[in-house]
PDB file of all heavy atoms in Angstrom:
ATOM      1  N   ALA J 157     101.956 105.804  69.605  1.00 98.00           N
ATOM      2  CA  ALA J 157     103.329 105.968  70.066  1.00 98.00           C
ATOM      3  C   ALA J 157     103.497 107.227  70.908  1.00 98.00           C
ATOM      4  O   ALA J 157     104.314 107.253  71.837  1.00 98.00           O
ATOM      5  CB  ALA J 157     104.277 106.004  68.867  1.00 98.00           C
ATOM      6  N   ARG J 158     102.721 108.261  70.618  1.00 97.00           N
ATOM      7  CA  ARG J 158     102.844 109.493  71.401  1.00 97.00           C
ATOM      8  C   ARG J 158     102.474 109.243  72.873  1.00 97.00           C
ATOM      9  O   ARG J 158     103.047 109.860  73.777  1.00 97.00           O
ATOM     10  CB  ARG J 158     101.973 110.608  70.817  1.00 97.00           C
ATOM     11  CG  ARG J 158     100.485 110.320  70.867  1.00 97.00           C
ATOM     12  CD  ARG J 158      99.633 111.491  70.410  1.00 97.00           C
ATOM     13  NE  ARG J 158      98.212 111.162  70.475  1.00 97.00           N
ATOM     14  CZ  ARG J 158      97.499 111.208  71.585  1.00 97.00           C
ATOM     15  NH1 ARG J 158      98.070 111.586  72.724  1.00 97.00           N
ATOM     16  NH2 ARG J 158      96.205 110.883  71.581  1.00 97.00           N
ATOM     17  N   LEU J 159     101.505 108.346  73.116  1.00 98.00           N
ATOM     18  CA  LEU J 159     101.155 108.019  74.498  1.00 98.00           C
ATOM     19  C   LEU J 159     102.266 107.212  75.162  1.00 98.00           C
ATOM     20  O   LEU J 159     102.570 107.421  76.345  1.00 98.00           O
ATOM     21  CB  LEU J 159      99.833 107.247  74.551  1.00 98.00           C
ATOM     22  CG  LEU J 159      98.569 108.001  74.143  1.00 98.00           C
ATOM     23  CD1 LEU J 159      97.348 107.122  74.330  1.00 98.00           C
ATOM     24  CD2 LEU J 159      98.420 109.310  74.917  1.00 98.00           C
ATOM     25  N   LEU J 160     102.878 106.298  74.416  1.00 98.00           N
ATOM     26  CA  LEU J 160     104.009 105.558  74.974  1.00 98.00           C
ATOM     27  C   LEU J 160     105.132 106.517  75.346  1.00 98.00           C
ATOM     28  O   LEU J 160     105.744 106.379  76.418  1.00 98.00           O
ATOM     29  CB  LEU J 160     104.510 104.516  73.978  1.00 98.00           C
ATOM     30  CG  LEU J 160     105.743 103.717  74.439  1.00 98.00           C
ATOM     31  CD1 LEU J 160     105.413 102.873  75.670  1.00 98.00           C
ATOM     32  CD2 LEU J 160     106.267 102.833  73.318  1.00 98.00           C
ATOM     33  N   ASP J 161     105.404 107.493  74.498  1.00 98.00           N
ATOM     34  CA  ASP J 161     106.433 108.488  74.811  1.00 98.00           C
ATOM     35  C   ASP J 161     106.087 109.217  76.109  1.00 98.00           C
ATOM     36  O   ASP J 161     106.965 109.466  76.953  1.00 98.00           O
ATOM     37  CB  ASP J 161     106.563 109.503  73.675  1.00 98.00           C
ATOM     38  CG  ASP J 161     107.161 108.893  72.408  1.00 98.00           C
ATOM     39  OD1 ASP J 161     107.809 107.822  72.512  1.00 98.00           O
ATOM     40  OD2 ASP J 161     106.982 109.488  71.321  1.00 98.00           O
ATOM     41  N   GLY J 162     104.822 109.555  76.276  1.00 98.00           N
ATOM     42  CA  GLY J 162     104.404 110.228  77.503  1.00 98.00           C
ATOM     43  C   GLY J 162     104.547 109.344  78.723  1.00 98.00           C
ATOM     44  O   GLY J 162     104.930 109.814  79.803  1.00 98.00           O
ATOM     45  N   VAL J 163     104.214 108.061  78.580  1.00 98.00           N
ATOM     46  CA  VAL J 163     104.366 107.117  79.678  1.00 98.00           C
ATOM     47  C   VAL J 163     105.827 106.993  80.084  1.00 98.00           C
ATOM     48  O   VAL J 163     106.171 107.031  81.275  1.00 98.00           O
ATOM     49  CB  VAL J 163     103.793 105.735  79.283  1.00 98.00           C
ATOM     50  CG1 VAL J 163     104.197 104.670  80.295  1.00 98.00           C
ATOM     51  CG2 VAL J 163     102.280 105.802  79.148  1.00 98.00           C
ATOM     52  N   LEU J 164     106.712 106.860  79.098  1.00 98.00           N
ATOM     53  CA  LEU J 164     108.132 106.711  79.400  1.00 98.00           C
ATOM     54  C   LEU J 164     108.708 107.990  80.009  1.00 98.00           C
ATOM     55  O   LEU J 164     109.552 107.928  80.914  1.00 98.00           O
ATOM     56  CB  LEU J 164     108.897 106.335  78.132  1.00 98.00           C
ATOM     57  CG  LEU J 164     108.538 104.954  77.547  1.00 98.00           C
ATOM     58  CD1 LEU J 164     109.260 104.731  76.231  1.00 98.00           C
ATOM     59  CD2 LEU J 164     108.863 103.843  78.544  1.00 98.00           C
ATOM     60  N   GLU J 165     108.229 109.135  79.555  1.00 98.00           N
ATOM     61  CA  GLU J 165     108.691 110.396  80.144  1.00 98.00           C
ATOM     62  C   GLU J 165     108.244 110.505  81.605  1.00 98.00           C
ATOM     63  O   GLU J 165     109.029 110.880  82.483  1.00 98.00           O
ATOM     64  CB  GLU J 165     108.143 111.584  79.351  1.00 98.00           C
ATOM     65  CG  GLU J 165     108.574 112.933  79.930  1.00 98.00           C
ATOM     66  CD  GLU J 165     107.954 114.111  79.207  1.00 98.00           C
ATOM     67  OE1 GLU J 165     107.209 113.890  78.217  1.00 98.00           O
ATOM     68  OE2 GLU J 165     108.201 115.259  79.627  1.00 98.00           O
ATOM     69  N   ALA J 166     106.975 110.165  81.878  1.00 98.00           N
ATOM     70  CA  ALA J 166     106.478 110.215  83.257  1.00 98.00           C
ATOM     71  C   ALA J 166     107.238 109.243  84.150  1.00 98.00           C
ATOM     72  O   ALA J 166     107.593 109.566  85.294  1.00 98.00           O
ATOM     73  CB  ALA J 166     104.984 109.906  83.276  1.00 98.00           C
ATOM     74  N   THR J 167     107.518 108.055  83.624  1.00 98.00           N
ATOM     75  CA  THR J 167     108.259 107.058  84.398  1.00 98.00           C
ATOM     76  C   THR J 167     109.659 107.551  84.712  1.00 98.00           C
ATOM     77  O   THR J 167     110.145 107.420  85.842  1.00 98.00           O
ATOM     78  CB  THR J 167     108.328 105.733  83.618  1.00 98.00           C
ATOM     79  OG1 THR J 167     107.002 105.292  83.310  1.00 98.00           O
ATOM     80  CG2 THR J 167     109.048 104.665  84.417  1.00 98.00           C
ATOM     81  N   GLY J 168     110.313 108.149  83.724  1.00 98.00           N
ATOM     82  CA  GLY J 168     111.656 108.683  83.934  1.00 98.00           C
ATOM     83  C   GLY J 168     111.677 109.780  84.986  1.00 98.00           C
ATOM     84  O   GLY J 168     112.599 109.845  85.819  1.00 98.00           O
ATOM     85  N   ARG J 169     110.675 110.643  84.973  1.00 97.00           N
ATOM     86  CA  ARG J 169     110.615 111.709  85.978  1.00 97.00           C
ATOM     87  C   ARG J 169     110.452 111.129  87.373  1.00 97.00           C
ATOM     88  O   ARG J 169     111.054 111.604  88.336  1.00 97.00           O
ATOM     89  CB  ARG J 169     109.470 112.662  85.669  1.00 97.00           C
ATOM     90  CG  ARG J 169     109.663 113.473  84.406  1.00 97.00           C
ATOM     91  CD  ARG J 169     108.582 114.518  84.234  1.00 97.00           C
ATOM     92  NE  ARG J 169     108.634 115.521  85.290  1.00 97.00           N
ATOM     93  CZ  ARG J 169     107.891 116.627  85.296  1.00 97.00           C
ATOM     94  NH1 ARG J 169     107.027 116.847  84.316  1.00 97.00           N
ATOM     95  NH2 ARG J 169     107.990 117.492  86.282  1.00 97.00           N
ATOM     96  N   LEU J 170     109.609 110.106  87.499  1.00 98.00           N
ATOM     97  CA  LEU J 170     109.403 109.498  88.812  1.00 98.00           C
ATOM     98  C   LEU J 170     110.683 108.851  89.334  1.00 98.00           C
ATOM     99  O   LEU J 170     110.942 108.853  90.546  1.00 98.00           O
ATOM    100  CB  LEU J 170     108.289 108.445  88.729  1.00 98.00           C
ATOM    101  CG  LEU J 170     106.873 108.986  88.522  1.00 98.00           C
ATOM    102  CD1 LEU J 170     105.913 107.843  88.200  1.00 98.00           C
ATOM    103  CD2 LEU J 170     106.389 109.739  89.755  1.00 98.00           C
ATOM    104  N   ILE J 171     111.488 108.287  88.439  1.00 97.00           N
ATOM    105  CA  ILE J 171     112.726 107.634  88.848  1.00 97.00           C
ATOM    106  C   ILE J 171     113.785 108.652  89.246  1.00 97.00           C
ATOM    107  O   ILE J 171     114.487 108.484  90.254  1.00 97.00           O
ATOM    108  CB  ILE J 171     113.247 106.718  87.727  1.00 97.00           C
ATOM    109  CG1 ILE J 171     112.312 105.516  87.550  1.00 97.00           C
ATOM    110  CG2 ILE J 171     114.675 106.239  88.009  1.00 97.00           C
ATOM    111  CD1 ILE J 171     112.642 104.649  86.358  1.00 97.00           C
ATOM    112  N   THR J 172     113.904 109.717  88.479  1.00 97.00           N
ATOM    113  CA  THR J 172     115.017 110.654  88.672  1.00 97.00           C
ATOM    114  C   THR J 172     114.739 111.715  89.730  1.00 97.00           C
ATOM    115  O   THR J 172     115.678 112.222  90.359  1.00 97.00           O
ATOM    116  CB  THR J 172     115.369 111.348  87.353  1.00 97.00           C
ATOM    117  OG1 THR J 172     114.206 112.024  86.833  1.00 97.00           O
ATOM    118  CG2 THR J 172     115.850 110.336  86.326  1.00 97.00           C
ATOM    119  N   GLU J 173     113.475 112.059  89.956  1.00 95.00           N
ATOM    120  CA  GLU J 173     113.159 113.085  90.947  1.00 95.00           C
ATOM    121  C   GLU J 173     112.930 112.444  92.310  1.00 95.00           C
ATOM    122  O   GLU J 173     112.430 111.322  92.397  1.00 95.00           O
ATOM    123  CB  GLU J 173     111.921 113.874  90.509  1.00 95.00           C
ATOM    124  CG  GLU J 173     112.152 114.655  89.215  1.00 95.00           C
ATOM    125  CD  GLU J 173     110.904 115.371  88.738  1.00 95.00           C
ATOM    126  OE1 GLU J 173     109.864 115.298  89.434  1.00 95.00           O
ATOM    127  OE2 GLU J 173     110.964 116.004  87.666  1.00 95.00           O
ATOM    128  N   PRO J 174     113.284 113.136  93.389  1.00 93.00           N
ATOM    129  CA  PRO J 174     113.151 112.546  94.731  1.00 93.00           C
ATOM    130  C   PRO J 174     111.712 112.195  95.067  1.00 93.00           C
ATOM    131  O   PRO J 174     110.792 112.973  94.820  1.00 93.00           O
ATOM    132  CB  PRO J 174     113.670 113.664  95.654  1.00 93.00           C
ATOM    133  CG  PRO J 174     114.485 114.557  94.777  1.00 93.00           C
ATOM    134  CD  PRO J 174     113.866 114.485  93.421  1.00 93.00           C
ATOM    135  N   GLY J 175     111.517 111.003  95.610  1.00 94.00           N
ATOM    136  CA  GLY J 175     110.198 110.578  96.049  1.00 94.00           C
ATOM    137  C   GLY J 175     110.114 110.561  97.563  1.00 94.00           C
ATOM    138  O   GLY J 175     110.934 111.169  98.256  1.00 94.00           O
ATOM    139  N   GLU J 176     109.119 109.867  98.074  1.00 94.00           N
ATOM    140  CA  GLU J 176     108.942 109.735  99.517  1.00 94.00           C
ATOM    141  C   GLU J 176     109.330 108.327  99.955  1.00 94.00           C
ATOM    142  O   GLU J 176     109.557 107.442  99.127  1.00 94.00           O
ATOM    143  CB  GLU J 176     107.490 110.015  99.913  1.00 94.00           C
ATOM    144  CG  GLU J 176     107.059 111.459  99.731  1.00 94.00           C
ATOM    145  CD  GLU J 176     105.707 111.726 100.364  1.00 94.00           C
ATOM    146  OE1 GLU J 176     105.671 111.972 101.592  1.00 94.00           O
ATOM    147  OE2 GLU J 176     104.701 111.681  99.647  1.00 94.00           O
ATOM    148  N   ASP J 177     109.387 108.131 101.240  1.00 96.00           N
ATOM    149  CA  ASP J 177     109.637 106.805 101.791  1.00 96.00           C
ATOM    150  C   ASP J 177     108.677 106.606 102.956  1.00 96.00           C
ATOM    151  O   ASP J 177     109.038 106.735 104.124  1.00 96.00           O
ATOM    152  CB  ASP J 177     111.087 106.668 102.249  1.00 96.00           C
ATOM    153  CG  ASP J 177     111.421 105.237 102.667  1.00 96.00           C
ATOM    154  OD1 ASP J 177     110.731 104.311 102.188  1.00 96.00           O
ATOM    155  OD2 ASP J 177     112.350 105.054 103.468  1.00 96.00           O
ATOM    156  N   ARG J 178     107.434 106.281 102.621  1.00 97.00           N
ATOM    157  CA  ARG J 178     106.386 106.103 103.611  1.00 97.00           C
ATOM    158  C   ARG J 178     105.734 104.730 103.423  1.00 97.00           C
ATOM    159  O   ARG J 178     105.874 104.094 102.374  1.00 97.00           O
ATOM    160  CB  ARG J 178     105.309 107.198 103.474  1.00 97.00           C
ATOM    161  CG  ARG J 178     105.847 108.610 103.421  1.00 97.00           C
ATOM    162  CD  ARG J 178     106.596 108.980 104.683  1.00 97.00           C
ATOM    163  NE  ARG J 178     105.699 109.145 105.827  1.00 97.00           N
ATOM    164  CZ  ARG J 178     106.124 109.269 107.081  1.00 97.00           C
ATOM    165  NH1 ARG J 178     107.408 109.195 107.362  1.00 97.00           N
ATOM    166  NH2 ARG J 178     105.263 109.439 108.058  1.00 97.00           N
ATOM    167  N   ALA J 179     105.023 104.292 104.438  1.00 98.00           N
ATOM    168  CA  ALA J 179     104.221 103.078 104.291  1.00 98.00           C
ATOM    169  C   ALA J 179     103.059 103.364 103.349  1.00 98.00           C
ATOM    170  O   ALA J 179     102.419 104.411 103.434  1.00 98.00           O
ATOM    171  CB  ALA J 179     103.700 102.620 105.650  1.00 98.00           C
TER     172      ALA J 179
END
Side-chain angles (χ1 to χ4, degrees):
R158 64 174 180 81
L159 293 183
L160 177 64
D161 291 340
V163 168
L164 295 175
E165 179 184 358
T167 303
R169 293 187 65 172
L170 290 169
I171 291 173
T172 57
E173 296 177 2
E176 292 190 83
D177 187 24
R178 310 299 289 169

